[in-house]
Amino acid sequence: MRLPDIFHGLFHRIGGFVTAILHTLWQLVRRLAAHIYHTLLTAEQWTVKAVLKRVLIVGLILWALSFALVAFALYYPSSQIPEHAPVNRTVYLNQGWGDSMASDYRQTYYYTPQGTTLYNLRYSWFAALELPFSRQKFAGPNHMRALGFIVDDATTPQNPQHMPVGFTKHYDRAIREDVLDITCAACHTGELHVATSTGERVAIRIDGGQAMHAFTAMSIGHFGPELVTSLLNTIINPFAFERFARNVLGQGYTSAGRSALRWELISVFRSFVRQAITDKSNHLYPVEEGFGRTDAVGRISNKVFAEEMDEANYRVANAPVSYPAVWDIWKFDWVQYTGSVAQPMARNMGESLGVGATLHTMDLYGRPIPPSERLTGATLIDNLKTIEEKAIRTLTPPKWPEDILGSIDRKKAESGRALYLQHCAGCHQPCLKSEYDRAVYVPLRAKNDEFWQLKLLPVQDIGTDPQAALNFNNIRIDLSKTGVTDGDARALVGQLLDTQQQRREAYAKRANLPAPPDGKAAKAAALDSLNLRSLTIGGGLNILGLLLRNRTYADMRLTLEQAMQYDGDGALDLPQVLLVYKARPLGGVWATAPYLHNGSVPNLYELLSPADKRSKKFFVGRFEFDPVLVGILPQPLGKGGFWLDTSIRGNWNIGHEFRAGYKKWEPCEPPSNGVIGPELSDSDRWALIEYLKIHEDTNLPACSTKPPAYACTAKAPAGGRP
């Protein structure tokens, strides 16, 4: 048995032991409460002194139990948090934003708020919180780095509190304070650590790359539980609370303000605890996400459709995915792993809603808000537009830094280029869409800005873990309690379909082409299928997004062309639901490990190998980079860390195989079941890896008119693992 397996089993047993202890403590508290209650009922004589004495005793006991729980949560040995070796310097690759930490583009991406919130957690609170039994700040750079977040070496005007990348603030008019705002940069910024030949340890910043934190994990020692523990410690520790209150209130400190602050802090703490209890009691996230992953679809669904609307919409989320790279995405025809979203504003708004931007659709009693007041005060759409235009559209893939990671073998890379064209380009090389497609789908896009078509591959053909695609296709939610009707939804979608048809007819007229089919039958079929009591996640977000954008654009008094610019080149928000995975272009792929949509393969060498040669378990959590195998180093620095077990459904590392049994795919032929190419020789693997270090998606061909790969074979795969 390997040493990591021994530790995994040990911590599993410790976890069971801890659960038993907590259960015993709970039983003691219940018995104590029953005893006190019995005493109160049976006492024959009561005096004010006796009552006060008993109340004091009960208060001290409860305070002591809470204090003991905080101490236990802090010092209980975590089986998750990895150890990190310090670095000597950070290198910012020039990905279109320059090589300076203080670049205006970089700072815009990192610290422009989106309108998100963590249960109204105030920014000043987060900055002032202390770790339990310590004066060390929870948000201090060293502590946040230990949790896997990226923190720059110095403050900037946009980040005066020295927060991690992606942590900023916005003013909430409802509570009249700045709240903590988590931006897209928190999850879509990466870093790779390497030791140079001189012994220097260097951090290579990968803007738009994959984060390596466990933001959504609820194991003791991670961000969420530690934040809750720090909140509880501040509430029950009078010395910690006094320091906290003076820090937060500053010169406005008064006894009344101090008291109000405590009650507000308790309210936010209760929100965190209530949500944690809901998640655990309903077993909503049974597959541990670990570092660098989250079940994005499941968590967005539960946040938007259950927390914000109707608890009956809670659904089990068991398909974690890696945080995807975001360079070049503005050129894509479809984004998301399942190729389901085409509009930039819809993509960005969905992300912000999943991270906590509020949707005002229900009142405090669970009733629909009147349509005239619905969806006010949600995402900061102006800021989303700024991030898209100033950061996302200028971001380019990272280039292999030869001075740090080693020189490229040009001869071997040239051999690898031929192998790429032979084995990879058929799926991963994008093509340039036609003038017709540009006119219909991105009519405001500049002529010099490319519009890429990406391959959407049937799940049965690519053969990777199907759970994410199955969930996106099969999970249904109910929007009926919002007060929005099927008629409202059909009017919204119908307007988009009419616009799409008008663009088709206008292009045909300009190009002297035959008029396209009138589209009435297709429109009727699409609208008739709309049922707000049974919508896919994509469909639900589409309806809410349309309502939100229409309301916001109307309040802003935007013209039609201005609204189209906000949407992103006039793109329409018409989602699709298919059993497919998107084949992403491979520019910068060297910096995006672990691989596959669920992060189940640690390096490029294993990705190019048969599935039975891949790691069954590997360590995830450090930033250490392997420039030879090109991926993450699977060995921990110490005993702590997350071991990704690929035998668990949702974590499968199957599919995308180069092995014996390959048969060239043809449209409408039986599915490939994951065998996408012949088995490669070792020298071919190394040559292909060398080329992928420098691959760029340039000089792209025009798209062909062949039917898409999923036209015949996008059917539900069998439920068992091959």
Side-chain angles (χ1 to χ4, degrees):
M1 180 179 288
R2 298 182 305 169
L3 186 60
D5 294 328
I6 295 173
F7 279 119
H8 181 79
L10 174 61
F11 284 119
H12 180 75
R13 287 189 287 273
I14 290 176
F17 177 66
V18 170
T19 302
I21 290 177
L22 293 177
H23 179 73
T24 302
L25 285 174
W26 172 243
Q27 293 300 323
L28 288 173
V29 170
R30 288 184 60 192
R31 290 178 184 177
L32 176 64
H35 174 72
I36 294 170
Y37 181 69
H38 177 74
T39 303
L40 290 173
L41 289 179
T42 57
E44 295 182 358
Q45 291 185 345
W46 280 101
T47 64
V48 173
K49 183 178 180 180
V51 171
L52 291 176
K53 180 180 178 180
R54 284 172 170 78
V55 169
L56 179 61
I57 291 172
V58 172
L60 288 173
I61 291 173
L62 292 176
W63 181 87
L65 286 172
S66 300
F67 198 82
L69 184 61
V70 171
F72 178 76
L74 178 67
Y75 290 107
Y76 169 61
S78 171
S79 62
Q80 295 294 307
I81 299 301
E83 296 181 39
H84 297 279
V87 296
N88 301 107
R89 64 187 175 100
T90 300
V91 172
Y92 296 84
L93 301 181
N94 187 351
Q95 297 177 240
W97 298 347
D99 57 8
S100 166
M101 177 192 74
S103 157
D104 185 39
Y105 293 98
R106 188 167 278 116
Q107 293 293 304
T108 296
Y109 178 64
Y110 287 178
Y111 303 115
T112 299
Q114 300 180 152
T116 68
T117 178
L118 296 179
Y119 303 106
N120 289 332
L121 178 65
R122 278 57 155 188
Y123 182 82
S124 61
W125 297 6
F126 187 71
L129 275 177
E130 296 173 350
L131 291 171
F133 316 113
S134 169
R135 295 201 178 191
Q136 180 186 351
K137 291 291 192 289
F138 179 92
N142 290 336
H143 181 241
M144 296 306 288
R145 289 188 184 112
L147 292 174
F149 295 93
I150 295 172
V151 186
D152 282 323
D153 295 332
T155 62
T156 62
Q158 295 86 348
N159 183 28
Q161 295 276 10
H162 208 179
M163 292 289 180
V165 168
F167 283 60
T168 185
K169 63 183 177 181
H170 75 266
Y171 187 78
D172 188 305
R173 286 185 170 82
I175 60 176
R176 301 185 296 280
E177 288 187 75
D178 286 329
V179 295
L180 182 67
D181 191 309
I182 309 298
T183 79
C184 55
C187 297
H188 299 285
T189 304
E191 205 165 80
L192 306 176
H193 294 181
V194 293
T196 65
S197 58
T198 62
E200 183 185 35
R201 287 186 51 75
V202 178
I204 305 170
R205 183 65 54 84
I206 306 295
D207 285 313
Q210 177 182 351
M212 195 50 74
H213 53 63
F215 184 70
T216 57
M218 288 307 292
S219 301
I220 290 177
H222 282 307
F223 174 83
E226 283 212 2
L227 177 61
V228 172
T229 303
S230 292
L231 288 169
L232 178 58
N233 175 71
T234 305
I235 292 168
I236 67 174
N237 183 335
F239 305 105
F241 181 78
E242 183 64 22
R243 292 191 297 271
F244 173 80
R246 291 190 178 278
N247 197 326
V248 169
L249 299 176
Q251 294 182 349
Y253 177 94
T254 63
S255 59
R258 181 179 181 278
S259 177
L261 176 62
R262 182 187 293 278
W263 286 111
E264 283 297 305
L265 192 64
I266 290 172
S267 176
V268 170
F269 170 76
R270 288 176 56 201
S271 296
F272 275 102
V273 172
R274 183 167 55 247
Q275 190 56 51
I277 291 172
T278 298
D279 292 354
K280 290 293 184 181
S281 61
N282 292 297
H283 306 289
L284 293 180
Y285 307 102
V287 180
E288 189 169 3
E289 294 155 317
F291 289 84
R293 304 194 310 170
T294 190
D295 191 323
V297 168
R299 287 190 179 273
I300 288 175
S301 175
N302 287 334
K303 175 68 178 67
V304 175
F305 304 124
E307 278 187 59
E308 295 281 343
M309 296 179 192
D310 182 0
E311 290 189 353
N313 281 328
Y314 274 119
R315 299 290 184 269
V316 171
N318 55 0
V321 298
S322 294
Y323 299 114
V326 297
W327 51 77
D328 287 336
I329 59 171
W330 67 276
K331 302 176 185 178
F332 297 179
D333 56 348
W334 294 100
V335 297
Q336 312 297 16
Y337 283 114
T338 53
S340 56
V341 177
Q343 187 193 78
M345 182 57 78
R347 174 235 302 158
N348 295 335
M349 202 165 61
E351 176 269 331
S352 69
L353 292 174
V355 186
T358 55
L359 272 174
H360 297 161
T361 59
M362 315 284 285
D363 67 15
L364 295 177
Y365 312 104
R367 301 174 301 182
I369 290 176
S372 61
E373 301 299 324
R374 187 185 292 150
L375 296 169
T376 56
T379 56
L380 302 176
I381 284 185
D382 269 326
N383 288 6
L384 292 180
K385 181 174 183 287
T386 296
I387 294 169
E388 179 71 21
E389 295 180 349
K390 192 171 183 178
I392 299 299
R393 288 199 173 212
T394 57
L395 180 65
T396 59
K399 294 186 177 181
W400 180 274
E402 294 188 66
D403 58 326
I404 301 172
L405 298 179
S407 299
I408 300 295
D409 185 326
R410 302 292 165 177
K411 184 176 180 181
K412 186 183 291 186
E414 187 59 30
S415 298
R417 181 177 181 277
L419 291 166
Y420 165 82
L421 293 173
Q422 180 182 355
H423 298 300
C424 309
C427 291
H428 288 284
Q429 180 176 261
C431 60
L432 300 177
K433 303 200 76 165
S434 67
E435 287 302 313
Y436 165 80
D437 287 329
R438 294 173 68 95
V440 173
Y441 299 107
V442 286
L444 299 186
R445 181 157 299 184
K447 288 187 177 181
N448 293 332
D449 290 338
E450 295 180 342
F451 185 28
W452 293 358
Q453 177 177 301
L454 272 58
K455 297 289 195 307
L456 302 178
L457 304 174
V459 169
Q460 284 181 293
D461 281 318
I462 196 63
T464 52
D465 189 301
Q467 198 61 51
L470 289 173
N471 286 359
F472 191 76
N473 277 259
N474 296 338
I475 290 177
R476 292 290 187 273
I477 49 87
D478 182 353
L479 290 189
S480 60
K481 287 190 176 181
T482 62
V484 181
T485 67
D486 288 346
D488 296 332
R490 287 168 184 164
L492 288 167
V493 176
Q495 186 178 27
L496 293 184
L497 293 173
D498 288 342
T499 300
Q500 187 181 57
Q501 181 66 16
Q502 290 163 10
R503 292 179 183 180
R504 287 171 174 160
E505 293 171 353
Y507 179 82
K509 186 176 181 179
R510 287 198 309 270
N512 292 319
L513 297 173
D518 61 23
K520 291 181 179 178
K523 175 184 174 182
L527 298 185
D528 287 345
S529 67
L530 273 176
N531 176 7
L532 294 194
R533 288 173 175 77
S534 181
L535 281 174
T536 63
I537 294 171
L541 289 174
N542 172 237
I543 299 302
L544 292 177
L546 290 171
L547 289 168
L548 172 60
R549 290 199 301 284
N550 288 353
R551 171 61 187 264
T552 305
Y553 292 172
D555 289 346
M556 297 169 68
R557 301 182 183 278
L558 298 182
T559 65
L560 175 61
E561 182 159 337
Q562 288 172 329
M564 292 170 66
Q565 290 171 344
Y566 270 76
D567 287 337
D569 296 328
L572 300 176
D573 184 11
L574 285 169
Q576 63 181 5
V577 180
L578 298 167
L579 266 174
V580 297
Y581 286 129
K582 179 179 87 265
R584 185 186 171 86
L586 298 182
V589 67
W590 65 269
T592 61
Y595 296 103
L596 298 184
H597 72 277
N598 59 351
S600 60
V601 179
N603 54 60
L604 281 180
Y605 186 86
E606 289 194 17
L607 186 64
L608 298 174
S609 302
D612 61 2
K613 303 295 184 184
R614 296 170 183 168
S615 300
K616 302 299 182 289
K617 284 185 179 182
F618 61 94
F619 174 88
V620 185
R622 292 170 67 203
F623 296 102
E624 304 308 305
F625 181 69
D626 184 341
V628 177
L629 298 176
V630 184
I632 61 171
L633 278 178
Q635 298 84 18
L637 188 65
K639 64 182 181 180
F642 170 64
W643 288 83
L644 194 148
D645 184 350
T646 64
S647 69
I648 298 171
R649 187 181 179 94
N651 291 348
W652 289 350
N653 62 358
I654 56 175
H656 197 280
E657 289 188 78
F658 293 90
R659 67 167 171 84
Y662 167 69
K663 179 184 176 183
K664 186 177 179 181
W665 181 86
E666 296 292 342
C668 302
E669 288 292 311
S672 303
N673 293 319
V675 184
I676 63 169
E679 186 162 355
L680 302 172
S681 67
D682 213 39
S683 60
D684 283 352
R685 286 192 197 102
W686 290 121
L688 193 47
I689 288 170
E690 199 70 9
Y691 172 70
L692 290 176
K693 295 176 182 178
I694 59 172
H695 171 76
E696 296 181 356
D697 295 296
T698 56
N699 301 317
L700 300 175
C703 298
S704 72
T705 57
K706 290 182 179 179
Y710 55 80
C712 300
T713 58
K715 298 177 181 178
R721 175 175 177 147

